[in-house]
Amino acid sequence: MTRPDIRSVAVIGGDGIGLEVTAQGRRILELVAEKRSLPVKLVDVDYGVDAYKAHGEVLPDLTRRAMRDADAILFGATGGPAFDAIPAQARKAGSLLVVRRDFNLFANLRPVKVMPALYEASSLKQRVLEGLDMVIVRELVGGVYFGEPRGIETLPDGERRGVNTHAYTSTQIRRVAHVAFELARTRKGRVCSVAKENVMEAGRLWREEVQAVHDADYADLELTHMLADNCAMQLVRAPAQFDVIVTDNLFGDILSDCAAMATGSLGMLPSASLGPVEDDGRRAALYEPVHGSAPDIAGKELANPIGSILSVAMMLRFSFGMGKEADLIERAISDAVASGARTADIANGSRHLSTAEMGDAVASKLTALLN
Ligand code: IPM
Ligand code: MG
């Protein structure tokens, strides 16, 4: 056991570019810890392809234990061809979905904030990007990702049938709605609930339960409802209208990729996946960039580490109560970007930095801000 005043962080690079970007997130965390005399214990553990090669398991017991004991988890990425080559049973036993379910990480926060220096990198026009600063709160352990029955069956006539089940209980909806409203209270106070209540019963329940939570506990905040297809359109038409979006697992997955492009690159987006607050005040918390393992550029030091570094900022904000330092990390990143630091994904074809050089650029701005 660690001393209660020591913050322990399980660090998991995982697969593909997860390793390179997490190395940069990790060093920024160490820099803040050093400058603020924060006692942090970093525990590096294996996950994914490397773990399978070394231990025959994607998610070895040692890793699972380190994750359970930690105050927060910094995660890189999972997936890719080498991962897909692992036998299905071993792959499924340790998949990211299993991690989300086993740690009950029901609330996934995906902030999307545009940096003026990167207007050019976005596929959208500057005039629609101005003022864009929102968070998508995605339900992460329910809906069609986990619903039963599921599978592929062969019917008597030889036809095959694929089945997935989309289902939500009121408890599942209400707890994520609470997270969204609490978050909105620290921001502009506006929540937009997104579902497909025009065709789905689970969507109707979603809308009713979010409305009930609002009316009971958050009547001072603004709540609107939007159909998911319209939301996809609004995200590219006028994304700055949103403050907090709360939506289910599948719509959240799709809409967050869509929203990401406003920032110029999926490589810019961090996330936090949070469990319920336990009786002792602790809550499971996993921080990871939204981008995947990007096997095509893995190991080439081409990846953008900003998603991982911003994930560290979220860790400081949500797990360690260090909102000021989180703000400074965000400022260091926009300072670095404003002074021309670019990885390939946001360079628009001009000169770009390596993953570690981008880490250097942010670390040097941050050092100045922390002194
Ligand atoms: C995400 C990813 C995952 C998801 C994949 C890797 C299973 O796309 O976190 O958005 O679909 O949830
Ligand atoms: Mg996704």
Side-chain angles (χ1 to χ4, degrees), residues 78 96-97 100 110 138 140 145 249 253 256-257 288 290:
T78 174
L96 188 58
L97 297 191
R100 290 171 179 173
R110 299 187 164 185
R138 167 186 176 193
L140 204 57
Y145 274 64
N249 206 343
D253 179 48
S256 59
D257 266 30
E288 64 174 317
V290 173

Side-chain angles (χ1 to χ4, degrees), residues 322-338:
M322 296 174 72
K324 249 178 43 204
E325 285 72 17
D327 288 343
L328 292 180
I329 292 180
E330 287 172 17
R331 223 177 99 197
I333 291 170
S334 53
D335 288 355
V337 169

Side-chain angles (χ1 to χ4, degrees), residues 42-93:
L42 302 180
V43 183
D44 295 281
V45 277
D46 279 350
Y47 174 84
V49 175
D50 288 349
Y52 184 73
K53 282 186 189 149
H55 315 282
E57 279 177 304
V58 169
L59 176 58
D61 273 350
L62 190 70
T63 302
R64 194 185 278 271
R65 229 171 314 130
M67 292 166 85
R68 204 167 287 284
D69 290 345
D71 294 303
I73 301 160
L74 179 63
F75 190 84
T78 174
F83 189 85
D84 294 343
I86 296 171
Q89 215 183 343
R91 202 166 8 105
K92 284 194 181 145

